[in-house]
Amino acid sequence: MAQQDATVLLDEDHNEVIRMFEQYKAAHDARRQQVLASEICQSLLVHMQIEEEIFYPAYQQATGDEEVLKDSRKEHKEARELIAKIDADRQNAKLMLDLEDAILHHVNDEREKMFPKARAAQGMDLMRLGDQLQLRKTELMEAHPA
Ligand SMILES: [Fe+2]
Ligand SMILES: [Fe+2]
């Protein structure tokens, strides 16, 4: 497995889910939309979990940046609430668009505020964190396929 900087790995997840939202919006068949909706929700849940288990605590320790973390955790909570609503109402395209808006905003915060600070921080081993994130991601995707 190629080693990857944690922020690069996480941002590739971001790009991937943004592409999936584009596919969702371009899909006209209801069955295809439902498959994409469930893949999007699954990949977001895994992504948020690995951030919270591995990346955020390391970021907290290295930067002490409570403010950005507090906002990020709040945005994860809001995304999980939307995902729970989507789970209960799989045909609801409006909820998927709300989720897309929330995720675009959150991704932007991580890209603009958190990742640059993480790259500049002393004491964050981004390559080692990248390995840990990749391992945990694989484990979670295998345990809960979409
Ligand atoms: Fe996040
Ligand atoms: Fe993220």
Side-chain angles (χ1 to χ4, degrees):
M1 187 192 305
Q3 268 209 324
Q4 228 176 8
D5 173 320
T7 60
V8 174
L9 183 140
L10 290 172
D11 219 25
E12 279 181 4
D13 272 6
H14 295 158
N15 289 331
E16 172 73 21
V17 85
I18 289 166
R19 270 197 298 276
M20 285 158 80
F21 274 115
E22 292 302 324
Q23 288 171 4
Y24 173 86
K25 288 186 291 183
H28 293 297
D29 136 42
R31 174 72 198 133
R32 172 92 183 123
Q33 281 187 331
Q34 281 196 40
V35 169
L36 282 163
S38 100
E39 285 174 4
I40 288 169
C41 292
Q42 166 64 8
S43 80
L44 286 172
L45 289 171
V46 168
H47 179 84
M48 293 191 288
Q49 186 172 343
I50 64 175
E51 283 183 340
E52 288 170 18
E53 284 182 3
I54 296 163
F55 190 79
Y56 287 6
Y59 180 81
Q60 183 160 26
Q61 206 174 24
T63 67
D65 185 5
E66 298 296 339
E67 199 180 309
V68 164
L69 279 166
K70 192 168 149 260
D71 285 349
S72 279
R73 292 201 170 98
K74 185 169 146 267
E75 287 166 0
H76 280 195
K77 183 169 175 279
E78 287 162 2
R80 284 197 179 91
E81 284 164 6
L82 277 167
I83 289 169
K85 285 187 196 166
I86 290 163
D87 264 345
D89 184 5
R90 293 198 165 271
Q91 311 271 17
N92 194 327
K94 169 76 171 67
L95 286 173
M96 284 298 290
L97 297 181
D98 290 347
L99 181 63
E100 184 190 29
D101 279 349
I103 293 305
L104 289 175
H105 173 90
H106 176 62
V107 161
N108 213 49
D109 279 355
E110 288 183 344
R111 271 182 190 158
E112 304 290 322
K113 297 179 188 165
M114 188 182 271
F115 293 173
K117 241 178 162 167
R119 291 189 195 110
Q122 302 295 316
M124 258 188 115
D125 186 342
L126 292 173
M127 297 309 276
R128 193 178 56 87
L129 287 168
D131 280 350
Q132 290 176 355
L133 288 165
Q134 184 60 57
L135 272 174
R136 185 67 177 134
K137 181 180 166 184
T138 305
E139 202 173 84
L140 289 170
M141 297 293 273
E142 281 167 5
H144 307 281

